[in-house]
Amino acid sequence: MTFIASVIAKEGVAIIADSLVTTSQPVLDYGTFQRYLIDQKKNNTNGVSLEAKDIARLFKVKPSYTKDYEDKLYMYDKFTAITTAGSASINNKRIKKLILEAIRKLKPAGRNTDKNIKDKLDKLKGFISQEVKKYFLKNARISETILLITFYAPGNNKTTVYKLIVKSAIKEDFDEEGFEVVEADVVPDHIKVVCDGQNRMAERILFGDFNAAFDLIPKIVMRVAKDFKIPDEKVDQEYWITILEDENIISEQMRAEAKINKLTGLSLQQAVDLANLLMKIEIDLQKYTENIPTVGGVIKLAVIDDDGFRYVAGNTIVKHHDSY
């Protein structure tokens, strides 16, 4: 895992990412396989049937070891930053190389109006989708990759964050009707801190149970809509936002825990300070869990304001601490 975040201020945005990359392996533990065999025996009177597709889905990707100095924060254009979590490569290309290729091919520099931002995002999504398709010509499984794409529009001081997700998938998933391996969703404007890649510790502290509901409700709504063949346009973002606003579903106590209003109106310095605090929380709390530490290393921090993108920390080579 990793920790990436965009903290939105009144006149800019702070972006942070760690540099640990975790090598993971697909693992099938004995207990999971045993339960599968028991279920097969119950449901098949003719004996146990081992289907390759079902066995493949039993494997879970788990961390095995970590290493440092993986770039996860990039300037896409003067007013756009990309942070990444999940898999460090797609189609045998490091994410950094992919983003540099996208910059050369797509030439994203330009205005950050709503129309321009959507156009930039669609082109980047298309570029990543093509790389994923090339990957599946030679591979059977892909791990999840998350890109937080943070746009800042100078002049009107508006920050827009998109979450572009390459979903964990196997080749057989493409046989399912309507399956899209790459998705892109805009983060609603009222969310001022956007985090991903971690064990969600910082989010729980900031938002309590509200953020879990915010993540889960849209997925439930879309699944119900799919099962009952309800057209997508009837269950769009505007619809499920009304669900989140329903006090019979999201209680007043949950809203109080979220304290979202207190996160509005941050100065850029406060946004930088908060981004650093969230990173420290993730790094420190993982020491007390059973999992191997997966957040840390060199921390990169950048801001975007009316002067454009610039690094604040973590982007320069420093003198080695030993003297020779």
Side-chain angles (χ1 to χ4, degrees), residues 90 128 132 142-147 164-168 181-183:
I90 297 175
I128 298 294
V132 172
I142 193 168
S143 299
E144 183 180 71
T145 302
I146 298 166
L147 283 76
L164 191 152
I165 301 174
V166 179
K167 293 186 287 188
S168 177
V181 70
V182 182
E183 294 182 343

Side-chain angles (χ1 to χ4, degrees), residues 158-298:
K158 181 181 179 183
T159 298
T160 306
V161 181
Y162 280 88
K163 186 176 290 189
L164 191 152
I165 301 174
V166 179
K167 293 186 287 188
S168 177
I170 59 177
K171 275 187 177 180
E172 287 79 3
D173 290 325
F174 288 86
D175 297 332
E176 297 181 7
E177 185 179 352
F179 177 77
E180 265 193 291
V181 70
V182 182
E183 294 182 343
D185 295 306
V186 64
V187 177
D189 290 341
H190 67 275
I191 303 297
K192 299 303 179 184
V193 179
V194 186
C195 308
D196 218 298
Q198 78 298 8
N199 296 319
R200 323 301 284 214
M201 297 175 185
E203 284 183 320
R204 291 187 190 115
I205 291 171
L206 280 173
F207 304 119
D209 293 330
F210 184 89
N211 221 48
F214 182 83
D215 283 342
L216 190 59
I217 285 176
K219 293 177 182 177
I220 294 174
V221 170
M222 297 307 295
R223 174 61 185 270
V224 171
K226 180 181 178 181
D227 289 349
F228 288 89
K229 296 181 172 56
I230 300 172
D232 290 346
E233 60 269 18
K234 291 190 176 182
V235 288
D236 57 9
Q237 177 176 305
E238 184 177 344
Y239 172 76
W240 54 258
I241 286 293
T242 62
I243 296 178
L244 290 171
E245 293 173 346
D246 189 336
E247 293 184 3
N248 293 319
I249 298 173
I250 307 297
S251 69
E252 191 61 37
Q253 181 179 353
M254 290 173 66
R255 295 174 196 280
E257 287 178 357
K259 299 181 175 64
I260 286 177
N261 290 333
K262 292 188 178 180
L263 293 179
T264 60
L266 297 177
S267 69
L268 191 54
Q269 181 61 62
Q270 286 177 314
V272 166
D273 293 343
L274 180 54
N276 274 297
L277 174 61
L278 298 178
M279 179 66 75
K280 181 174 173 54
I281 288 171
E282 290 294 332
I283 292 173
D284 287 352
L285 286 180
Q286 71 182 350
K287 299 173 185 176
Y288 306 103
T289 69
E290 293 183 355
N291 300 325
I292 64 172
T294 56
V295 180
V298 175

